[in-house]
Amino acid sequence: MCKDPPDRTAEGIGNMHIIYENKFLRVEALKPQPAPAGSRVLLSFPGIGQKMDLIDVQTPEFAGIGREFGNTVFCYDKTRSWGNRLDWDVLTAAVRQAAEGSTLYSIGNSMGGYLAIVAGAYLPISRSVSFVPQLTVDPEAEPHDTRWRMYSNSIKSFPMKPASHYFAPETEYFIFSAGKGVDGKHAQLFPKASNIHHWVFPDAGHRLAANLKEQGELHRCIQSCFEGETEAVFSQETQRLSPAADAGLTPPAAACLAATGPLNSAAPA
């Protein structure tokens, strides 16, 4: 099994180029110019952030893998609302500024993993990679997961539905879930379909992506997903949740489907 080269994710990112920002959303790009037509663009959805001086600070995530793309666009849910306070039309229009004529890929961890899945319902995502995504944080739909209540308690309404509502038949999904605790319960609730490749790590917790990075396996894992390789091999035990024996099942219809293929001006803004 191949190991990753030394990680450079946090090094040499340089100044980001803000495309759009309001009090709920920030969209910024790694490169100032739009990606060349026909290239690949990565959409990275950061999670709630890392704890610094008693607050969670959001920083660019998966920037290292993003250097292999024509551009990387980071989409921040600034109030950690799991998309409930975001205007997806605004987010979509901002992405188009940096990705016109490009093929889109999405990635995220935890809250970002949920948003990376949702993005396929609003943008023509070719392949999406998610680590430990929640199915939902709506306390009425999932009353047992109290880990995110410091954020979810401030959300007055939940227009966003569980992640299962947003899977698009044209997008190929790669999901890596932890098996311990509430993460394992979330994992079992995700749909199964031929275009959803879902693994659970029975002995892993919510730091799954960080653990894979420490083991030198994260970069290659992500790279393989974006290349469409569906037979992942890891040093620790995994179980395949999807596709299952009933892989002929199609995923639920997404909330708002976009045509697959390169992003172009003919698509609605």
Side-chain angles (χ1 to χ4, degrees), residues 25-60:
L25 171 68
R26 182 169 78 252
V27 180
E28 59 187 22
L30 194 60
K31 301 176 182 178
Q33 68 278 7
S39 66
R40 303 185 307 162
V41 170
L42 178 62
L43 304 184
S44 175
F45 291 85
I48 65 171
Q50 300 296 319
K51 188 73 71 177
M52 295 183 185
D53 295 329
L54 302 180
I55 62 172
D56 291 322
V57 178
Q58 290 176 309
T59 57

mmCIF file of all heavy atoms in Angstrom, residues 25-60:
data_model
loop_
_atom_site.group_PDB
_atom_site.id
_atom_site.type_symbol
_atom_site.label_atom_id
_atom_site.label_comp_id
_atom_site.label_asym_id
_atom_site.label_seq_id
_atom_site.Cartn_x
_atom_site.Cartn_y
_atom_site.Cartn_z
ATOM 1 N N LEU A 25 -21.536 33.749 4.735
ATOM 2 C CA LEU A 25 -20.813 32.981 3.721
ATOM 3 C C LEU A 25 -19.545 33.705 3.296
ATOM 4 O O LEU A 25 -19.550 34.926 3.115
ATOM 5 C CB LEU A 25 -21.710 32.779 2.492
ATOM 6 C CG LEU A 25 -21.087 32.187 1.233
ATOM 7 C CD1 LEU A 25 -20.691 30.728 1.449
ATOM 8 C CD2 LEU A 25 -22.047 32.308 0.040
ATOM 9 N N ARG A 26 -18.450 32.964 3.143
ATOM 10 C CA ARG A 26 -17.257 33.477 2.487
ATOM 11 C C ARG A 26 -16.824 32.470 1.426
ATOM 12 O O ARG A 26 -16.700 31.285 1.706
ATOM 13 C CB ARG A 26 -16.110 33.724 3.467
ATOM 14 C CG ARG A 26 -14.872 34.322 2.774
ATOM 15 C CD ARG A 26 -13.823 34.833 3.746
ATOM 16 N NE ARG A 26 -13.015 33.779 4.334
ATOM 17 C CZ ARG A 26 -13.105 33.374 5.586
ATOM 18 N NH1 ARG A 26 -14.003 33.907 6.410
ATOM 19 N NH2 ARG A 26 -12.333 32.410 6.044
ATOM 20 N N VAL A 27 -16.615 32.968 0.214
ATOM 21 C CA VAL A 27 -16.124 32.137 -0.881
ATOM 22 C C VAL A 27 -14.815 32.749 -1.351
ATOM 23 O O VAL A 27 -14.775 33.926 -1.733
ATOM 24 C CB VAL A 27 -17.142 32.073 -2.048
ATOM 25 C CG1 VAL A 27 -16.595 31.193 -3.167
ATOM 26 C CG2 VAL A 27 -18.485 31.548 -1.560
ATOM 27 N N GLU A 28 -13.744 31.989 -1.299
ATOM 28 C CA GLU A 28 -12.439 32.494 -1.697
ATOM 29 C C GLU A 28 -11.702 31.449 -2.516
ATOM 30 O O GLU A 28 -11.972 30.249 -2.401
ATOM 31 C CB GLU A 28 -11.611 32.907 -0.476
ATOM 32 C CG GLU A 28 -11.362 31.783 0.506
ATOM 33 C CD GLU A 28 -10.673 32.249 1.787
ATOM 34 O OE1 GLU A 28 -10.760 33.444 2.102
ATOM 35 O OE2 GLU A 28 -10.053 31.403 2.465
ATOM 36 N N ALA A 29 -10.790 31.909 -3.352
ATOM 37 C CA ALA A 29 -10.087 31.015 -4.273
ATOM 38 C C ALA A 29 -8.594 31.021 -3.982
ATOM 39 O O ALA A 29 -8.024 32.017 -3.533
ATOM 40 C CB ALA A 29 -10.342 31.430 -5.715
ATOM 41 N N LEU A 30 -7.964 29.901 -4.272
ATOM 42 C CA LEU A 30 -6.524 29.764 -4.081
ATOM 43 C C LEU A 30 -5.770 30.616 -5.094
ATOM 44 O O LEU A 30 -4.716 31.174 -4.792
ATOM 45 C CB LEU A 30 -6.131 28.293 -4.218
ATOM 46 C CG LEU A 30 -4.760 27.850 -3.742
ATOM 47 C CD1 LEU A 30 -4.582 28.126 -2.257
ATOM 48 C CD2 LEU A 30 -4.555 26.366 -4.029
ATOM 49 N N LYS A 31 -6.327 30.735 -6.307
ATOM 50 C CA LYS A 31 -5.677 31.500 -7.374
ATOM 51 C C LYS A 31 -6.571 32.675 -7.770
ATOM 52 O O LYS A 31 -7.795 32.546 -7.783
ATOM 53 C CB LYS A 31 -5.417 30.603 -8.586
ATOM 54 C CG LYS A 31 -4.526 29.403 -8.270
ATOM 55 C CD LYS A 31 -4.378 28.490 -9.470
ATOM 56 C CE LYS A 31 -3.537 27.265 -9.124
ATOM 57 N NZ LYS A 31 -3.428 26.334 -10.279
ATOM 58 N N PRO A 32 -5.985 33.804 -8.121
ATOM 59 C CA PRO A 32 -6.796 34.995 -8.410
ATOM 60 C C PRO A 32 -7.577 34.905 -9.712
ATOM 61 O O PRO A 32 -8.655 35.474 -9.832
ATOM 62 C CB PRO A 32 -5.756 36.117 -8.464
ATOM 63 C CG PRO A 32 -4.474 35.437 -8.832
ATOM 64 C CD PRO A 32 -4.540 34.094 -8.169
ATOM 65 N N GLN A 33 -7.034 34.205 -10.692
ATOM 66 C CA GLN A 33 -7.682 34.147 -11.987
ATOM 67 C C GLN A 33 -8.605 32.933 -12.068
ATOM 68 O O GLN A 33 -8.362 31.917 -11.423
ATOM 69 C CB GLN A 33 -6.643 34.087 -13.119
ATOM 70 C CG GLN A 33 -5.840 32.793 -13.169
ATOM 71 C CD GLN A 33 -4.664 32.752 -12.204
ATOM 72 O OE1 GLN A 33 -4.505 33.645 -11.381
ATOM 73 N NE2 GLN A 33 -3.853 31.723 -12.301
ATOM 74 N N PRO A 34 -9.683 33.014 -12.868
ATOM 75 C CA PRO A 34 -10.550 31.841 -13.066
ATOM 76 C C PRO A 34 -9.755 30.674 -13.650
ATOM 77 O O PRO A 34 -8.759 30.877 -14.354
ATOM 78 C CB PRO A 34 -11.608 32.349 -14.059
ATOM 79 C CG PRO A 34 -11.607 33.830 -13.888
ATOM 80 C CD PRO A 34 -10.186 34.200 -13.576
ATOM 81 N N ALA A 35 -10.192 29.473 -13.341
ATOM 82 C CA ALA A 35 -9.522 28.292 -13.864
ATOM 83 C C ALA A 35 -9.662 28.244 -15.379
ATOM 84 O O ALA A 35 -10.681 28.659 -15.936
ATOM 85 C CB ALA A 35 -10.119 27.035 -13.243
ATOM 86 N N PRO A 36 -8.650 27.734 -16.092
ATOM 87 C CA PRO A 36 -8.759 27.599 -17.548
ATOM 88 C C PRO A 36 -9.943 26.710 -17.919
ATOM 89 O O PRO A 36 -10.258 25.743 -17.220
ATOM 90 C CB PRO A 36 -7.433 26.934 -17.941
ATOM 91 C CG PRO A 36 -6.499 27.238 -16.812
ATOM 92 C CD PRO A 36 -7.348 27.272 -15.584
ATOM 93 N N ALA A 37 -10.606 27.051 -19.013
ATOM 94 C CA ALA A 37 -11.742 26.248 -19.477
ATOM 95 C C ALA A 37 -11.294 24.806 -19.697
ATOM 96 O O ALA A 37 -10.210 24.552 -20.228
ATOM 97 C CB ALA A 37 -12.297 26.837 -20.771
ATOM 98 N N GLY A 38 -12.119 23.874 -19.243
ATOM 99 C CA GLY A 38 -11.813 22.459 -19.400
ATOM 100 C C GLY A 38 -10.973 21.876 -18.286
ATOM 101 O O GLY A 38 -10.704 20.671 -18.276
ATOM 102 N N SER A 39 -10.559 22.693 -17.328
ATOM 103 C CA SER A 39 -9.754 22.190 -16.215
ATOM 104 C C SER A 39 -10.648 21.680 -15.092
ATOM 105 O O SER A 39 -11.870 21.741 -15.175
ATOM 106 C CB SER A 39 -8.829 23.295 -15.701
ATOM 107 O OG SER A 39 -9.589 24.339 -15.121
ATOM 108 N N ARG A 40 -10.027 21.192 -14.045
ATOM 109 C CA ARG A 40 -10.758 20.715 -12.881
ATOM 110 C C ARG A 40 -10.669 21.760 -11.768
ATOM 111 O O ARG A 40 -9.622 22.359 -11.556
ATOM 112 C CB ARG A 40 -10.182 19.399 -12.370
ATOM 113 C CG ARG A 40 -10.144 18.268 -13.378
ATOM 114 C CD ARG A 40 -9.676 16.969 -12.725
ATOM 115 N NE ARG A 40 -8.413 17.164 -12.012
ATOM 116 C CZ ARG A 40 -7.942 16.332 -11.067
ATOM 117 N NH1 ARG A 40 -8.644 15.270 -10.723
ATOM 118 N NH2 ARG A 40 -6.787 16.565 -10.478
ATOM 119 N N VAL A 41 -11.772 21.957 -11.069
ATOM 120 C CA VAL A 41 -11.807 22.886 -9.932
ATOM 121 C C VAL A 41 -12.329 22.132 -8.714
ATOM 122 O O VAL A 41 -13.333 21.413 -8.795
ATOM 123 C CB VAL A 41 -12.695 24.104 -10.226
ATOM 124 C CG1 VAL A 41 -12.923 24.934 -8.960
ATOM 125 C CG2 VAL A 41 -12.046 24.979 -11.304
ATOM 126 N N LEU A 42 -11.640 22.293 -7.591
ATOM 127 C CA LEU A 42 -12.029 21.643 -6.341
ATOM 128 C C LEU A 42 -12.778 22.638 -5.463
ATOM 129 O O LEU A 42 -12.309 23.754 -5.231
ATOM 130 C CB LEU A 42 -10.795 21.136 -5.601
ATOM 131 C CG LEU A 42 -11.048 20.464 -4.247
ATOM 132 C CD1 LEU A 42 -11.897 19.209 -4.412
ATOM 133 C CD2 LEU A 42 -9.730 20.126 -3.557
ATOM 134 N N LEU A 43 -13.944 22.232 -4.970
ATOM 135 C CA LEU A 43 -14.684 22.998 -3.981
ATOM 136 C C LEU A 43 -14.441 22.371 -2.616
ATOM 137 O O LEU A 43 -14.822 21.225 -2.379
ATOM 138 C CB LEU A 43 -16.183 22.999 -4.297
ATOM 139 C CG LEU A 43 -16.617 23.487 -5.670
ATOM 140 C CD1 LEU A 43 -18.136 23.498 -5.761
ATOM 141 C CD2 LEU A 43 -16.043 24.858 -5.973
ATOM 142 N N SER A 44 -13.811 23.109 -1.733
ATOM 143 C CA SER A 44 -13.533 22.629 -0.388
ATOM 144 C C SER A 44 -14.454 23.345 0.595
ATOM 145 O O SER A 44 -14.509 24.577 0.621
ATOM 146 C CB SER A 44 -12.071 22.893 -0.019
ATOM 147 O OG SER A 44 -11.831 22.542 1.332
ATOM 148 N N PHE A 45 -15.178 22.551 1.391
ATOM 149 C CA PHE A 45 -16.099 23.096 2.387
ATOM 150 C C PHE A 45 -15.497 22.865 3.771
ATOM 151 O O PHE A 45 -15.573 21.751 4.302
ATOM 152 C CB PHE A 45 -17.461 22.418 2.273
ATOM 153 C CG PHE A 45 -18.222 22.769 1.028
ATOM 154 C CD1 PHE A 45 -17.997 22.076 -0.151
ATOM 155 C CD2 PHE A 45 -19.149 23.799 1.025
ATOM 156 C CE1 PHE A 45 -18.691 22.389 -1.317
ATOM 157 C CE2 PHE A 45 -19.848 24.132 -0.127
ATOM 158 C CZ PHE A 45 -19.613 23.426 -1.303
ATOM 159 N N PRO A 46 -14.864 23.880 4.370
ATOM 160 C CA PRO A 46 -14.282 23.708 5.701
ATOM 161 C C PRO A 46 -15.349 23.382 6.748
ATOM 162 O O PRO A 46 -16.520 23.761 6.617
ATOM 163 C CB PRO A 46 -13.626 25.063 5.978
ATOM 164 C CG PRO A 46 -13.333 25.617 4.618
ATOM 165 C CD PRO A 46 -14.503 25.181 3.787
ATOM 166 N N GLY A 47 -14.915 22.680 7.791
ATOM 167 C CA GLY A 47 -15.811 22.343 8.891
ATOM 168 C C GLY A 47 -15.911 23.480 9.889
ATOM 169 O O GLY A 47 -15.679 24.647 9.562
ATOM 170 N N ILE A 48 -16.224 23.149 11.139
ATOM 171 C CA ILE A 48 -16.429 24.206 12.140
ATOM 172 C C ILE A 48 -15.125 24.857 12.549
ATOM 173 O O ILE A 48 -15.123 25.961 13.091
ATOM 174 C CB ILE A 48 -17.172 23.675 13.379
ATOM 175 C CG1 ILE A 48 -16.332 22.625 14.117
ATOM 176 C CG2 ILE A 48 -18.540 23.129 13.009
ATOM 177 C CD1 ILE A 48 -16.909 22.214 15.457
ATOM 178 N N GLY A 49 -13.984 24.195 12.302
ATOM 179 C CA GLY A 49 -12.692 24.785 12.611
ATOM 180 C C GLY A 49 -12.015 24.130 13.800
ATOM 181 O O GLY A 49 -12.568 23.237 14.460
ATOM 182 N N GLN A 50 -10.809 24.591 14.082
ATOM 183 C CA GLN A 50 -10.012 24.074 15.183
ATOM 184 C C GLN A 50 -10.101 25.016 16.377
ATOM 185 O O GLN A 50 -10.173 26.239 16.217
ATOM 186 C CB GLN A 50 -8.546 23.927 14.748
ATOM 187 C CG GLN A 50 -8.354 22.981 13.584
ATOM 188 C CD GLN A 50 -8.734 21.560 13.909
ATOM 189 O OE1 GLN A 50 -8.445 21.066 15.004
ATOM 190 N NE2 GLN A 50 -9.382 20.878 12.980
ATOM 191 N N LYS A 51 -10.085 24.424 17.552
ATOM 192 C CA LYS A 51 -10.188 25.213 18.779
ATOM 193 C C LYS A 51 -8.905 26.019 19.017
ATOM 194 O O LYS A 51 -7.811 25.474 19.079
ATOM 195 C CB LYS A 51 -10.441 24.294 19.969
ATOM 196 C CG LYS A 51 -10.765 25.019 21.259
ATOM 197 C CD LYS A 51 -12.174 25.606 21.227
ATOM 198 C CE LYS A 51 -13.240 24.539 21.313
ATOM 199 N NZ LYS A 51 -14.608 25.115 21.354
ATOM 200 N N MET A 52 -9.055 27.348 19.083
ATOM 201 C CA MET A 52 -7.928 28.238 19.390
ATOM 202 C C MET A 52 -8.418 29.307 20.350
ATOM 203 O O MET A 52 -9.352 30.050 20.027
ATOM 204 C CB MET A 52 -7.392 28.900 18.111
ATOM 205 C CG MET A 52 -6.782 27.935 17.105
ATOM 206 S SD MET A 52 -6.108 28.808 15.667
ATOM 207 C CE MET A 52 -5.630 27.417 14.643
ATOM 208 N N ASP A 53 -7.792 29.370 21.522
ATOM 209 C CA ASP A 53 -8.192 30.347 22.542
ATOM 210 C C ASP A 53 -9.694 30.299 22.808
ATOM 211 O O ASP A 53 -10.394 31.320 22.820
ATOM 212 C CB ASP A 53 -7.785 31.755 22.120
ATOM 213 C CG ASP A 53 -6.274 31.920 22.032
ATOM 214 O OD1 ASP A 53 -5.578 31.243 22.811
ATOM 215 O OD2 ASP A 53 -5.813 32.705 21.182
ATOM 216 N N LEU A 54 -10.204 29.086 22.960
ATOM 217 C CA LEU A 54 -11.586 28.814 23.346
ATOM 218 C C LEU A 54 -12.611 29.094 22.241
ATOM 219 O O LEU A 54 -13.818 29.040 22.487
ATOM 220 C CB LEU A 54 -11.967 29.605 24.613
ATOM 221 C CG LEU A 54 -11.089 29.329 25.847
ATOM 222 C CD1 LEU A 54 -11.572 30.169 27.019
ATOM 223 C CD2 LEU A 54 -11.070 27.845 26.201
ATOM 224 N N ILE A 55 -12.162 29.410 21.037
ATOM 225 C CA ILE A 55 -13.095 29.566 19.928
ATOM 226 C C ILE A 55 -12.645 28.676 18.770
ATOM 227 O O ILE A 55 -11.473 28.325 18.661
ATOM 228 C CB ILE A 55 -13.195 31.034 19.452
ATOM 229 C CG1 ILE A 55 -11.844 31.531 18.940
ATOM 230 C CG2 ILE A 55 -13.716 31.932 20.549
ATOM 231 C CD1 ILE A 55 -11.927 32.894 18.275
ATOM 232 N N ASP A 56 -13.598 28.310 17.909
ATOM 233 C CA ASP A 56 -13.285 27.494 16.743
ATOM 234 C C ASP A 56 -12.920 28.422 15.583
ATOM 235 O O ASP A 56 -13.703 29.296 15.206
ATOM 236 C CB ASP A 56 -14.487 26.626 16.350
ATOM 237 C CG ASP A 56 -14.761 25.549 17.382
ATOM 238 O OD1 ASP A 56 -13.786 24.989 17.916
ATOM 239 O OD2 ASP A 56 -15.946 25.270 17.654
ATOM 240 N N VAL A 57 -11.747 28.232 15.031
ATOM 241 C CA VAL A 57 -11.244 29.069 13.940
ATOM 242 C C VAL A 57 -11.257 28.251 12.657
ATOM 243 O O VAL A 57 -10.630 27.191 12.571
ATOM 244 C CB VAL A 57 -9.821 29.575 14.239
ATOM 245 C CG1 VAL A 57 -9.289 30.402 13.071
ATOM 246 C CG2 VAL A 57 -9.810 30.394 15.524
ATOM 247 N N GLN A 58 -11.959 28.744 11.639
ATOM 248 C CA GLN A 58 -12.026 28.065 10.357
ATOM 249 C C GLN A 58 -10.817 28.449 9.509
ATOM 250 O O GLN A 58 -10.458 29.620 9.409
ATOM 251 C CB GLN A 58 -13.308 28.427 9.612
ATOM 252 C CG GLN A 58 -14.568 27.856 10.241
ATOM 253 C CD GLN A 58 -15.821 28.313 9.528
ATOM 254 O OE1 GLN A 58 -16.008 29.502 9.302
ATOM 255 N NE2 GLN A 58 -16.682 27.374 9.177
ATOM 256 N N THR A 59 -10.205 27.463 8.900
ATOM 257 C CA THR A 59 -9.059 27.667 8.024
ATOM 258 C C THR A 59 -9.265 26.842 6.756
ATOM 259 O O THR A 59 -10.096 25.920 6.732
ATOM 260 C CB THR A 59 -7.751 27.232 8.710
ATOM 261 O OG1 THR A 59 -7.866 25.852 9.109
ATOM 262 C CG2 THR A 59 -7.450 28.090 9.929
ATOM 263 N N PRO A 60 -8.533 27.149 5.680
ATOM 264 C CA PRO A 60 -8.670 26.343 4.454
ATOM 265 C C PRO A 60 -8.351 24.875 4.732
ATOM 266 O O PRO A 60 -7.379 24.569 5.427
ATOM 267 C CB PRO A 60 -7.635 26.964 3.508
ATOM 268 C CG PRO A 60 -7.422 28.343 4.025
ATOM 269 C CD PRO A 60 -7.572 28.248 5.515
#
